[in-house]
Amino acid sequence: MANRINLRPTSPLVSGLLLFGIFLSILIIYNISSVKNENPSRSPFRAIRNGLQDILNADPDDGKKEGATESKIQQQDHCILNRKFMPKGSMPLILLLSFPGSGNTWVRYLLERSSGIYTGSVFNDVGTGNDDNAIFRASEVCSKTTLVVKAHSLNVKKCHIDGAIILVRNPYSAILAEFNRQSSDKTSNAPISAFKSEAWKNFAIEASSNWSRKIGTQLEKIPNRMILYYENLVQDTNFELHRMLEFLKVTPDENRIRCLFENVTGSFKRKHRKRDFNPYSSEMNDTIDSEILKLRKIMKEYGYILPPYESYMTLK
Ligand SMILES: *[C@@H]1O[C@H](CO)[C@@H](O)[C@H](O)[C@H]1NC(C)=O
Ligand SMILES: *[C@@H]1O[C@H](CO)[C@@H](O)[C@H](O)[C@H]1NC(C)=O
Ligand SMILES: *[C@@H]1O[C@H](CO)[C@@H](O)[C@H](O)[C@H]1NC(C)=O
């Protein structure tokens, strides 16, 4: 009897063990929540529901007019929106990765104006020039002088990638935006007749499998990453912008951000355009929804919850 361990809760050994257990659980829960939920204070579902109308009304060819931000750089009298390159080799190479048509150019603009540091691109975006009056400045992709480098894939020359912001938009809107960009001239949408063609159907089906595959690969290849859902960015631009700046280790300059916001919403909203037809057949919906499910499962393995993108175009 004497050497039997006393298991009454009052025993100091048991209390000690209990306390230690509670301490461990807290540690574990804390770690899981910081890994699994990048964004614990907001539910993507709520954001999607609230932002749905806006998003559905948003210009479907977002990203098409790379120069669409032109009007936004007008400098306000009291606002200093100057930008600079950082010394060569001083910045990590962080990609701003997305499937085409996902709002990449807009994010590039937000980051550049809020931080005062130029961004780069693997593309020669419309509006790119060699002086401060240009919308975007040309730079060498591997020079490590910019805050981020816009890209649509990981095939970025032969330079070491240090991390990425992976921007994800629902494939219905992204595919439509990209099709419009590819099949129209600079300013207009693809003609309605184009959506009756086999070409559109084939494009959408191929693009949707690219969408899930590419984002899946990016998750796998880039451990230092931040996932940004386009729909959340539309819903709460300020919050998501701060989250990006934190990821990029940039101290937010609230004055710059305020100046940016004086025009950012207005200009963005001006791009909204209603589209009164749904170009997706139920067969296409099914294919795209299955790609969404595929990516949903992959993302779950990495601890992310994909917003409710299924049948996105039918939620109207
Ligand atoms: C935003 O920019 C436009 C075009 O540059 C300008 O006309 C407008 O006054 C600005 N809006 C605000 C609220 O300052
Ligand atoms: C899909 O990806 C392949 C390989 O990267 C590319 O050649 C093709 O153009 C893409 N198609 C669409 C519609 O995105
Ligand atoms: C797919 O979209 C079409 C066109 O809007 C719609 O009529 C149909 O109900 C959708 N199908 C599914 C399975 O959601």
Side-chain angles (χ1 to χ4, degrees):
M1 274 314 253
N3 56 8
R4 238 186 76 193
I5 293 171
N6 185 346
L7 285 178
R8 274 181 299 132
T10 48
S11 145
L13 176 64
V14 172
S15 319
L17 276 174
L18 263 176
L19 271 177
F20 183 65
I22 290 167
F23 175 70
L24 259 186
S25 319
I26 289 171
L27 258 186
I28 288 166
I29 288 166
Y30 177 79
N31 270 328
I32 288 174
S33 62
S34 59
V35 170
K36 294 249 161 174
N37 196 349
E38 280 193 322
N39 187 358
S41 63
R42 302 176 58 239
S43 141
F45 294 92
R46 186 180 48 109
I48 292 299
R49 210 168 40 243
N50 295 346
L52 196 58
Q53 213 44 52
D54 256 14
I55 294 153
L56 287 172
N57 292 339
D59 185 349
D61 46 43
D62 170 300
K64 164 192 163 194
K65 296 163 275 144
E66 306 282 27
T69 52
E70 193 151 19
S71 62
K72 289 188 270 189
I73 64 164
Q74 292 290 324
Q75 203 153 314
Q76 311 294 305
D77 287 343
H78 57 291
C79 280
I80 299 156
L81 289 171
N82 64 314
R83 298 158 286 162
K84 63 178 180 202
F85 285 115
M86 300 305 274
K88 209 170 163 112
S90 68
M91 298 295 282
L93 179 58
I94 307 288
L95 296 181
L96 173 57
L97 271 173
S98 75
F99 186 82
S102 302
N104 200 316
T105 309
W106 183 46
V107 175
R108 190 183 169 193
Y109 165 81
L110 292 176
L111 287 176
E112 195 166 291
R113 270 23 182 226
S114 59
S115 70
I117 304 170
Y118 280 116
T119 61
S121 176
V122 303
F123 312 100
N124 190 20
D125 286 353
V126 173
T128 301
N130 285 311
D131 61 73
D132 285 338
N133 296 321
I135 300 165
F136 295 116
R137 281 283 294 270
S139 64
E140 191 54 51
V141 169
C142 301
S143 62
K144 291 171 171 266
T145 56
T146 62
L147 187 61
V148 294
V149 174
K150 166 181 164 172
H152 292 316
S153 81
L154 289 172
N155 302 327
V156 180
K157 291 192 178 172
K158 285 211 181 335
C159 32
H160 177 75
I161 296 166
D162 298 301
I165 293 175
I166 302 175
L167 173 62
V168 179
R169 186 183 192 184
N170 82 82
Y172 287 99
S173 306
I175 291 167
L176 187 54
E178 181 58 7
F179 185 74
N180 275 326
R181 192 188 68 83
Q182 286 189 17
S183 51
S184 66
D185 60 26
K186 272 186 202 141
T187 51
S188 62
N189 287 309
I192 301 231
S193 61
F195 293 101
K196 299 195 167 78
S197 66
E198 276 298 295
W200 157 242
K201 196 181 123 188
N202 295 338
F203 178 91
I205 288 175
E206 188 181 297
S208 68
S209 88
N210 282 0
W211 177 84
S212 60
R213 180 173 41 79
K214 281 191 166 189
I215 297 169
T217 307
Q218 291 161 11
L219 276 168
E220 185 197 319
K221 298 265 168 76
I222 305 187
N224 178 30
R225 62 178 112 81
M226 172 189 152
I227 300 292
L228 171 66
Y229 297 115
Y230 172 83
E231 293 78 9
N232 284 356
L233 183 68
V234 170
Q235 174 67 23
D236 195 343
T237 311
N238 192 38
F239 183 91
E240 297 296 334
L241 176 60
H242 278 83
R243 214 161 64 84
M244 284 192 276
L245 293 174
E246 193 183 336
F247 175 75
L248 296 168
K249 302 187 170 64
V250 172
T251 310
D253 177 336
E254 296 304 335
N255 191 48
R256 284 192 77 105
I257 293 173
R258 190 181 46 72
C259 289
L260 165 69
F261 271 84
E262 276 184 18
N263 242 342
V264 71
T265 320
S267 308
F268 181 62
K269 281 203 170 132
R270 263 200 299 279
K271 290 182 7 179
H272 285 191
R273 195 187 315 161
K274 281 206 172 100
R275 183 178 278 282
D276 52 6
F277 81 109
N278 182 340
Y280 293 100
S281 69
S282 62
E283 185 198 347
M284 290 158 92
N285 296 356
D286 288 348
T287 308
I288 295 172
D289 280 0
S290 75
E291 292 298 333
I292 292 170
L293 186 62
K294 221 185 263 179
L295 182 63
R296 178 176 300 291
K297 284 180 181 157
I298 296 170
M299 289 193 75
K300 202 173 169 205
E301 288 170 27
Y302 290 91
Y304 300 102
I305 300 166
L306 195 68
Y309 284 163
E310 287 86 352
S311 295
Y312 211 84
M313 296 304 275
T314 63
L315 289 173
K316 252 188 232 182

